[in-house]
Structure formats: C-alpha cells, structure tokens
Amino acid sequence: MPAHTSKDLTGWGRYPVHRCHVARPEAQASVTRLLQQGDQATYIPRGLGRSYGDAALNEDGGIIDKTRLDRLLAFDAEEGLLRVEAGVPFSDLLAVCLPRGWFPAVTPGTQHVTVGGALAANVHGKNHHTDGAIADHVEQITLATPARGVVTCSPTEDPELFWATLGGMGLTGAILTATLRLRPVTSAYIHMDRRQTRDLDGTLDTLATTDASTYSVAWIDALAPGSSRGRGIVVSGDHATGEQALEVTKAPLDPPSRASRRLPMTPASWVLSRQTARVFNAIYHQAHGPRQGELVDLDRFFYPLDALDGWNRVYGDRGFLQHQAVLPKTTGREAVQAQLEHVAESSIGAYLAVLKRMGPADPGPLSFPMAGYTLALDLPREPGSETVARDLAELTADQGGRVYLAKDAVLDHELLEAMYPETDRFRQVKDRVDPDQRLASSLSDRVGLTGEAGR
Amino acid sequence: MTRTLVLGATSTIARSIVRLLGARGHDLTLAARDPEESEAVASDATIRYGVEAATVPFDALEEDHVATLKAAVEEHPIDGAIACFGLLGDQERARHEAALARGIIHVNHTGLVSALTPIADHLADRGQGSIAVLSSMAGERGRASNYPYGAAKAGVTTFLAGLRQRLHGQGVQVTTIIPGFVDTRMTYGQDGMFLVASPEDVARATLRAIDKGKDVAYVPWFWRPVSWLLRAVPEGVFKRLDL
C-alpha cells in the first residue's frame, strides 16, 4: 500500500489552502488498491493542479497524485489514436504527436494539465463552437472505481458512466487510461486574424463573423469605462498547411522552441491594483493592432500564458479567484453586458477577461459547456472579492447559465443545484461505482455532491 | 544499434533512465517483475523515441532469472547493463523479523550478484561494454537506522569493486553509483530525509558517470565528502551516535 505524505495544497488560484494526505502511486494497480483499501476515508485524484479552486484538494483527506502514471501506451499513427495513462501532460502529447502530424482535437489554454485532469473537467478550447469539448474526442477510458474495480467505458460501452466521468471532477473514480482521437495537421502553425473592437457590441458582432474559423477567442477590457466596456481584440485562426508554413520555416512541423521565463518572486499586492490593471488593459488593447493571415506558432496561439512559468503568483500571496460562466445563447448579449457591469461597479480589478462562443452541451450531467458565450475573468483576492464572485455566480444562475467547476471556489449547494439540474442523475451513477463515497474532494463537499448534503 | 539491459525497469529511477536511454536511441531490454508495468514502460519508450524495447520477466528472489537473462542476452546481445532494483523494507521491523531481514539481503545483494553473473560473462565474451549498479550511501557504513539494507548494499559495493578489477583487462567497465536520498516510491512518505535528489537527477548522473567511464560516482557529488567523514569516525565514537 503506497505511503502518504501530509502537505498543504492549493489550486492554481493559490486559494484555498488545504492540508491533504497525498499518496503517489507508480502502478495502475496501486491506484485501485488505494481507492478500495487506502487509509484515508476519502480520496480525490490529482494531476498537475491547474484547476483554480479546490477541485483537486481534499481537506484532511486523501489525494492520489497521478503524475507518475505518465506513460504512453499505444499510438496508431495512421488513424491518430493515442492511448495514454492519465498522468501524461499535454506537453508530452504535443512533443510526441506533432512531429508525426497529429494534434489534440481540443486543447485547454495551458500545456501543463494531465489528460486525466482534462477529462475530469471536460476541458474546452478556442474551438468549442466547431469541435465541442474534449469528451467528444475520446474513444474510451479505463476507470478505477471503489466498488467495481477497473472498468472500461465509452460513448457506446456504459455511456452513462462515461458521461458522468467526463466532467465529473474525479468523483466517479480515477481515470487510469484514455484513448484520444487526434486531429491531423501538416504544420505547427496557425494562420491568424486579429481585429480590434471598440465596445462590447463590436466584440460580439466580430466574434459572430468568425464562424468559418476553427478557433476564435476575444480578450476584452472589463475595466474600460462606460461605453468602451467590452472593447477588445478578437483572434481567430485555422491550422496552416505545411505549404503555407514554408513562408516562415523550413520545417513546418517543428515549432520554434520558446524557453519559458519564471516569475522571480511573488510581487507585492500593490503591483496589480485596479488602477494599474486599467492602464495595462488599455496598453494591451492598443498594442494588439489588426492582423490578417499572420502565421503564429502553436505555442503562441494556444499557450500564451505558459511563457511565464508560475504566472499565477503575479497576484501575490493572497491568490485570486476565477469566475468563468457560460451564458445561454438566448440572452447572451444582455447577460454578458450585465456581468461586465457588475464587475465594473465593484471595486475589484478584473484582469484577463476572455470571451468565447460555445456550442451545444454534451450529455454529461456535470459538464460545463452549453450553447452561448463563456466569460472568464480573474478576481484578485482583495477584501470583497469573494462577495463579487458569489454575486456573479448568483447572477449567472439567474441568467440561466452555469459556472465552470474547474475554476470555482465560491459556489454552494443551492447554486450548484440551480446551475446543474441533473445532479440527482449524477449521484445515481456515482452510487453505482462508489456507494460508500470513497471519492470526494473539497469541492464536492462544498457544493453538496458528497458529504451529508450529498446523501 | 546500442542495446542496454535495465534490471528493475519499473522502479522509479529506472523509468527515468529508460527515457534517457530511449532519447539517446538505445534499444532496450527491460527486466522486471510486473509484466503489465513492464509493458507500459516499454511502449512508452517505443512511442516516444522509436526504439525497440523487449521485456523479460525478472524476479531478484527467483533463481530461474539466471537462465532467463542468459537467454535474453543471447537473443538480443547487449552493450551495457544498468541495475536499479531494490527493496528497502521496514528497517525497524527487520531488526526483529529474521525472514524480512533475509528478504532484504536476498533482493538487494544475492539477487544482484546472481543476475550479474551471466551478464558479466556475456560482456566479457564480447570484450566491451559497461555495467552500472545503483548501490547506496547506506552501504558506506552500517548505521542503526538501516543496517539490514545497508549491509546488503555494502556487499554490493564490494562485489562491484571485485568485478571491476576482474573485468578491467577485458574491456568492460563497472560503475558503482552511490546516491543519497532520492524521491522515489521506496522513500515516499519517510521522515528525516534531507538533500533529496529527484529520480531524473540520479538518472542523468548515472548516464554521465557511465559516459565518463567512472568507477565510483556519488550522486549528487556532495555525498562523497559526507561518506569520507562518515567512514573517518573511529568506531568507538561512531557506536555512540544516534544515526
């Protein structure tokens, strides 16, 4: 039985901090053993800890650190099917697949997440409106469960368990392996268009024109005053062909490597204040003028923040919250407007506000995406920030939208039930494979998916 | 094509070594107890680096491993062997349970001696190659806190020195790697560790030591002076210490 180490852990927002008892197995069989016989009352699997709140924490409970289960098991380079252990980071996937002309069909905004974590959160990228979320590109998974040992599931084999697990935040079991369907590419470049907009309407209108592109995203200025609020930069792009990439490189599948810099220290909290953020946003907006058909490498297009290792420390020791909500298409424009207004009226500086379109929801009961707009913003943890985050969550619920559990740190039981109407169905599936609730996290206890409220 | 045999291929340090060897384009023979885990290490190396990786069952406690290893190197001749298998066990319990103490000696010492016998002959016959073995700081001097394990490793270190002398004239290099604390599943959760090295660091240092033809390499380097100090203390003084 693997040993445990007690340590203080956080998510990417560096808040909350919970004392957890971590086991770090190196064999798949040990994972199952931990779930069935481990010392701790409950466990939650953890990858690289890139969820923002407490989804991969278990206060005074067990954590299964999956990062050493990081082996590639099978690769069909003809069909683009890759079978991996859940601890494989996207960075490894890219290093192996790209030279052979394959790329993940869906990638989150950082390479430093594990496949298991990506599936548990059912991550989406800049192409949800065209390609859906990562769950739509998974052939099958094997899952270690407390009651049934290792089970295989897919959209055709026990689809109920499959869809409860993808987006299920680790609460149905520990994903051991996954088979991913990749997308063929002939270069490591994207040809990108970029447009500036002057206000929210301009941003939303411009986003609507990017339908023909595979990828699109808008960065918006949530702090610009009055009518300029929501002005931004709309970026769209498609994979460049090998031939197109020859314009900038002799080796199309070989991206220029970019050494990442590390933030040398945690800055004092005054460095990022609402005022400096305002100025920063304005400069950023100005600096990113329009572009058409510019060839950018995959790193810059998909993983801009990875260039600054540990960027989350820029918010200081108090950490930050992230609010990410999806607002339904029917009221999208007004809903986004209302959310931005609420942020502007508070005294909290919101940086890095990102807006993307989303396509229809998938069958997962805890899966986040739905057709509409998703808005994400960071809220540095100053006094009052939690209230703002909670207010935004309530506003989201009122607007018929929902909050992304992989980012959340403020929802309660009531809000969860309001946003995710199928939690009873989720609990039923969980009960099938985990009747004794061996799987629980700080998040699941907080929102009542487990613990007393969850029974 | 260079081929390296890794004994204990599923151990934490071995997995880093296998990746480094794969990155260098070495074909691999991976010897380990658990076939599923072995296969996963093998496929990982093959997919990442395009090298050929064969798996061979290997249990340090079973005598039949001699024949299996002999057959394996006959089928796929090797240019080098790296041994990274071991059992720490509960050192406190081993003080009182003879069976556990015996098991620790058997896996770490007897098993190593036994496995290297056909390998040393194979490389000597070829007149070239290298053998590297992970020994341990625990073997530098017997200490109350881990003497069953330490004794086994001390025996390994001495065995390797003798083997080094024997094979010197025959073109085969023998490298003894002496790590201190390493962050592996062997030590995870233990108290009282300090200056803990990562498995990747130990793997890199091991390959560097082999590249440079070193006889004995302390990993990281600072354990060499620590070992010297440890061994310099007179026994009359040493026995009174709480180590």
Side-chain angles (χ1 to χ4, degrees), chain A residues 354-394:
Chain A
V354 175
L355 192 66
K356 295 187 279 232
R357 281 174 307 145
M358 288 203 125
D362 58 49
L366 288 187
S367 181
F368 166 69
M370 65 160 78
Y373 293 105
T374 177
L375 173 70
L377 38 90
D378 292 339
L379 300 167
R381 274 193 69 236
E382 303 159 12
S385 60
E386 267 173 75
T387 312
V388 173
R390 196 162 294 124
D391 286 346
L392 285 170
E394 277 177 21

Side-chain angles (χ1 to χ4, degrees), chain A residues 3-5 7 22-24 26-29 68-75 82-83 85 88 92 96 100, chain B residues 10-12 15 19 34 36-38 40-41 43-49 183-185 188-190 199-200:
Chain A
H4 294 64
T5 299
K7 39 173 118 158
V22 185
R24 196 183 60 192
E26 296 188 11
Q28 291 179 28
R68 289 204 170 177
L69 283 151
D70 65 347
R71 293 166 295 190
L72 307 173
L73 302 175
F75 186 24
L82 179 64
R83 184 156 176 264
E85 286 186 318
V88 173
D92 279 12
V96 168
R100 283 168 252 207
Chain B
T10 56
S11 76
T12 312
R15 285 162 33 155
R19 282 191 179 161
D34 185 328
E36 213 179 287
E37 288 294 307
S38 251
V41 175
S43 58
D44 182 76
T46 302
I47 295 171
R48 281 175 198 265
Y49 308 113
D183 182 20
T184 65
R185 63 181 185 263
Y188 188 73
Q190 251 183 31
E200 292 81 17

Side-chain angles (χ1 to χ4, degrees), chain A residues 295-341:
Chain A
L295 286 169
V296 299
D297 67 72
L298 293 169
D299 260 2
R300 263 184 62 205
F301 187 81
F302 290 108
Y303 314 113
L305 290 174
D306 284 354
L308 189 57
D309 196 11
W311 65 262
N312 56 337
R313 297 184 308 140
V314 86
Y315 291 107
D317 282 331
R318 280 182 296 188
F320 64 107
L321 303 168
Q322 197 182 81
H323 167 72
Q324 178 164 7
V326 59
L327 305 161
K329 207 156 162 198
T330 43
T331 49
R333 197 171 285 245
E334 294 74 38
V336 174
Q337 183 87 24
Q339 297 241 339
L340 291 181
E341 253 162 42

